[in-house]
Amino acid sequence: MTSITPEDQNGKIRGLLGFISILFLILILRLFYLQITTFADYARESEENRIAQKRIKAPRGLIYARDGEVLARNRAFYTIALERSTRQEYDQATAALQEAIGNIEITSKYSRRHRSLRLIRDVDFRTVSIVEERLKADWPRLDIEIEAQRSYPHGATAAHLLGYMGILQDEKLKKEGGKTYVAGDFIGKTGLEKVFEDSLRGRDGVRFIEVGADGRQRREFPERERPADPGGDLHLTIDLAVQQAAEDALPDSLAGSVVALDPRTGAVLALASKPNFDPNIFVSFQAQEKRQRVLQSQTTLLNRAIQGRYPPGSTLKMISAIAALEEGITDTLSTFEACAGSLQVGDRFFHCLERDGHGELNLIEAMEVSCNIYFHNLAHFLGIDNWQAYADKFGFGQPTGIAMEPEETAGLLPSRAYYQEREGWTLGHLMNLVIGQGAMLVTPIQMARYTAAIGNGGYLVTPYLCGSPAPPHRIEGVSDATLEIVKKSMHRVIHGEKGTGRRVRIEGIEIAGKSGTAQGPRHDDDAWFVAFAPFGVPTIAVVVVVEGGGGGGSVAGPIARQVLQAFFTSEKERRRPSTRRSAAASHPADAWTLR
């Protein structure tokens, strides 16, 4: 048997002590790491478990018409939410909720990623009382939130202009990086609600609440609260009286559009499109069927004012007149071969609206009665390239620059090359183009800018809805003398003995205009009318198109008259001292947190 020497024994003891020292050192370092190095992290986790953060939703900015009428505001509604729950708590709480309230649909599925789940939105006060009095004691994590819902007090008025809002789905959150959106929030989908989403939305705040392990609220920390910053208000150029007159005048049975501009600045006074819709149904939790019908419609959501593409008919004849005057092809006295009701070009016959013909006419007389044959004769001398160049000067075939969502379409301004690339160029194409037919397509907003440019003395304006106007652009190569002749011819359309726009006359107001009846893809012709007034220094330019309406002078003309009448009545009221109340005074119930 081998004996252990004292030296060996001492060595083993020293080794054991060294090992124990190392363990103690590791323990001390670990304690140092936990208590010193990661103290802030654990303190924060403890704080997060103890202190709940609740979002203070920023009220959305209001939208006003130019005289202070509220077009879009907010109203409060109640939502039942479930705070920081497990899957088991979620199932039990929703089951208790359905048993107490009835078989009601739970709108939010369980997700661990969300601190708060909105279970049922826009509930009545009875439901709120049931939750507070009967369920909160057993389910303290159930909470009542006050949310803001968009409200449009004028219903369908200016619906395409304002746009509509929709719920932001969970999978779309990542596309809104940098913005404090939560699944279930409302966000602008179209119109001005989308264009100005960033400024209208505002910045959410937060409040801090101490919550016990049982989920009950202990106390709040008002000193730590960060209030919400309300969204910025939007003040539009829209004249509500003119907008309402435009929408009332458009027939309910036919699609169409009305655009009214201030020719001096491009301010949009009215932008109407029919059929329209009530944007309130997109923010209502009780209007799902109506919302689905609108979304499934192929035409209701189309903003015809900026996206509808139409042949303009005779309302485009001013382009031919301007081009011919500038190129020295005609003047106010020159005439062509008398109109006999038709004109043969090659093997084709082109007809006038007057079957028996208008006889011999000069430019102003031809515009007054809208003689097609006069302009067909003009086309022989004018040529496609000259005509296309002057149409381009007045903005056709290009966007106007209005800020809207969805974006405006550019229309179509055909050139010789356009036809050569397709069926081939013939003089017959120009015969159609000079009277606004053929492949030519325009939008109502383009026609409004073109009409405004004639009325204001040759300046292209950029249509705008809020803020400051863009500087107008002077159209080169079009003289004041030419524009005065064309304006005089448009004046005759309204005030001449044979004028096609006689139905637009308003006593005491000098109006210039032009009717148009365009053959399009529909069975019936589209009815057009363009006008500006007063004749000397115009303050409004109006464009009306009615799909399948028939005669421009008989159908679209009276609509333009109603819009002009509303505008000048509104102007007269505006000049009276203090006739309009402010928005807050008109709606005192809205002068609170949600504004």
Side-chain angles (χ1 to χ4, degrees):
M1 179 176 179
T2 304
S3 62
I4 301 175
T5 64
E7 290 79 6
D8 292 337
Q9 190 173 13
N10 290 337
K12 290 182 178 181
I13 292 173
R14 284 196 296 272
L16 180 60
L17 290 175
F19 178 72
I20 294 173
S21 299
I22 292 172
L23 291 179
F24 271 104
L25 179 61
I26 293 172
L27 180 61
I28 291 170
L29 290 174
R30 179 61 177 168
L31 290 174
F32 179 85
Y33 172 77
L34 293 175
Q35 296 188 19
I36 306 299
T37 306
T38 62
F39 171 79
D41 293 335
Y42 282 105
R44 184 174 61 253
E45 290 184 17
S46 175
E47 181 83 353
E48 289 177 354
N49 288 327
R50 184 175 64 91
I51 306 298
Q53 298 182 21
K54 286 202 171 184
R55 187 172 62 148
I56 304 174
K57 189 73 175 67
R60 194 172 181 85
L62 308 189
I63 302 179
Y64 296 93
R66 71 170 178 167
D67 288 316
E69 304 95 340
V70 180
L71 300 178
R73 63 160 75 100
N74 307 305
R75 79 167 183 87
F77 70 93
Y78 298 106
T79 288
I80 302 174
L82 184 63
E83 302 288 334
R84 306 173 75 169
S85 64
T86 64
R87 181 55 190 257
Q88 183 179 9
E89 289 173 330
Y90 169 85
D91 292 336
Q92 293 174 345
T94 53
L97 191 61
Q98 288 182 317
E99 182 179 353
I101 298 175
N103 190 20
I104 191 167
E105 182 182 0
I106 303 298
T107 58
S108 180
K109 296 181 180 180
Y110 177 75
S111 172
R112 290 188 301 173
R113 292 189 298 146
H114 301 309
R115 183 183 295 269
S116 177
L117 300 174
R118 293 161 168 153
L119 302 180
I120 310 173
R121 305 179 77 176
D122 200 5
V123 298
D124 56 23
F125 190 73
R126 171 185 170 276
T127 303
V128 172
S129 301
I130 292 175
V131 172
E132 291 287 352
E133 296 175 8
R134 294 171 51 187
L135 299 179
K136 284 277 282 187
D138 296 327
W139 304 101
R141 297 188 190 277
L142 283 176
D143 189 28
I144 301 297
E145 294 182 359
I146 300 178
E147 294 192 77
Q149 184 182 70
R150 207 55 159 167
S151 174
Y152 303 92
H154 299 284
T157 299
H160 291 90
L161 171 69
L162 298 172
Y164 64 88
M165 300 187 68
I167 292 178
L168 184 64
Q169 302 299 329
D170 200 30
E171 61 270 16
K172 297 291 182 67
L173 279 173
K174 59 183 179 181
K175 295 183 180 179
E176 305 296 333
K179 303 174 185 177
T180 54
Y181 288 101
V182 174
D185 280 356
F186 282 98
I187 188 171
K189 295 288 189 178
T190 64
L192 297 180
E193 292 282 21
K194 182 170 183 178
V195 173
F196 294 96
E197 171 66 25
D198 288 346
S199 60
L200 286 169
R201 186 174 186 277
R203 187 174 69 91
D204 293 340
V206 62
R207 62 191 180 100
F208 297 87
I209 303 171
E210 184 179 33
V211 180
D214 58 359
R216 301 182 189 280
Q217 296 183 5
R218 304 300 186 194
R219 57 176 174 148
E220 295 193 20
F221 301 89
E223 69 279 1
R224 298 174 62 179
E225 181 175 307
R226 189 187 72 214
D229 293 331
D233 293 339
L234 202 58
H235 295 269
L236 305 184
T237 61
I238 293 296
D239 187 314
L240 182 58
V242 178
Q243 180 73 31
Q244 290 176 327
E247 298 195 21
D248 291 343
L250 283 169
D252 293 328
S253 57
L254 296 172
S257 175
V258 174
V259 177
L261 299 181
D262 185 333
R264 301 164 295 181
T265 62
V268 179
L269 303 172
L271 196 82
S273 179
K274 273 195 175 180
N276 55 10
F277 59 92
D278 185 352
N280 286 299
I281 66 175
F282 287 89
V283 292
S284 170
F285 293 91
Q286 283 77 42
Q288 186 172 351
E289 290 185 8
K290 293 180 180 178
R291 183 165 58 249
Q292 289 301 319
R293 282 198 299 269
V294 171
L295 289 172
Q296 291 168 6
S297 169
Q298 297 296 316
T299 61
T300 303
L301 293 178
L302 176 66
N303 188 346
R304 286 166 170 76
I306 63 171
Q307 292 186 302
R309 306 202 315 164
Y310 309 91
S314 293
T315 56
L316 201 66
K317 286 177 179 175
M318 286 82 80
I319 291 293
S320 303
I322 291 169
L325 289 166
E326 286 296 325
E327 297 300 317
I329 294 171
T330 191
D331 53 33
T332 57
L333 300 177
S334 300
T335 63
F336 295 108
E337 183 180 344
C339 169
S342 65
L343 178 68
Q344 185 174 3
V345 178
D347 59 351
R348 290 188 59 187
F349 283 88
F350 293 87
H351 298 276
C352 196
L353 295 176
E354 181 62 46
R355 183 173 299 178
D356 296 329
H358 291 106
E360 190 173 329
L361 303 169
N362 61 31
L363 175 62
I364 292 178
E365 293 168 336
M367 193 75 75
E368 177 185 351
V369 297
S370 197
C371 177
N372 287 345
I373 302 303
Y374 178 92
F375 287 92
H376 289 320
N377 281 314
L378 202 66
H380 280 94
F381 301 95
L382 184 59
I384 178 63
D385 297 326
N386 273 334
W387 178 88
Q388 193 267 342
Y390 281 93
D392 180 73
K393 289 175 185 287
F394 280 84
F396 291 110
Q398 52 195 278
T400 66
I402 188 172
M404 278 295 288
E405 183 64 38
E407 295 181 351
E408 62 177 320
T409 57
L412 175 61
L413 175 58
S415 62
R416 185 190 299 270
Y418 172 86
Y419 287 103
Q420 287 174 340
E421 293 170 1
R422 289 163 176 80
E423 67 267 29
W425 165 254
T426 66
L427 182 59
H429 292 310
L430 181 57
M431 296 293 106
N432 283 327
L433 291 174
V434 294
I435 62 170
Q437 293 291 166
M440 181 74 179
L441 294 174
V442 301
T443 63
I445 193 75
Q446 287 176 331
M447 293 297 289
R449 183 167 71 150
Y450 148 72
T451 306
I454 296 173
N456 67 23
Y459 290 88
L460 272 185
V461 294
T462 301
Y464 74 101
L465 289 154
C466 64
S468 301
H473 166 66
R474 174 67 189 190
I475 300 174
E476 297 181 359
V478 179
S479 66
D480 292 340
T482 289
L483 289 172
E484 283 303 315
I485 293 172
V486 173
K487 289 170 66 175
K488 184 178 179 180
S489 71
M490 295 175 68
H491 184 272
R492 285 278 290 272
V493 170
I494 306 293
H495 301 280
E497 186 178 325
K498 299 178 181 179
T500 58
R502 297 189 302 277
R503 290 180 175 87
V504 183
R505 293 176 186 172
I506 299 175
E507 185 177 354
I509 302 173
E510 295 291 308
I511 303 170
K514 184 69 187 77
S515 61
T517 304
Q519 296 176 354
R522 288 163 290 278
H523 176 71
D524 295 320
D525 297 337
D526 293 338
W528 278 94
F529 206 91
V530 303
F532 60 82
F535 180 75
V537 182
T539 54
I540 183 173
V542 178
V543 168
V544 178
V545 61
V546 179
E547 296 180 11
S554 59
V555 176
I559 295 173
R561 184 185 187 280
Q562 291 184 54
V563 174
L564 290 167
Q565 184 74 66
F567 172 76
F568 287 108
T569 300
S570 179
E571 287 291 288
K572 187 181 295 185
E573 291 179 357
R574 189 174 291 106
R575 286 192 290 269
R576 294 176 185 169
S578 211
T579 57
R580 294 177 183 266
R581 296 181 296 166
S582 68
S586 300
H587 307 285
D590 296 309
W592 63 300
T593 305
L594 295 180
R595 299 191 307 145

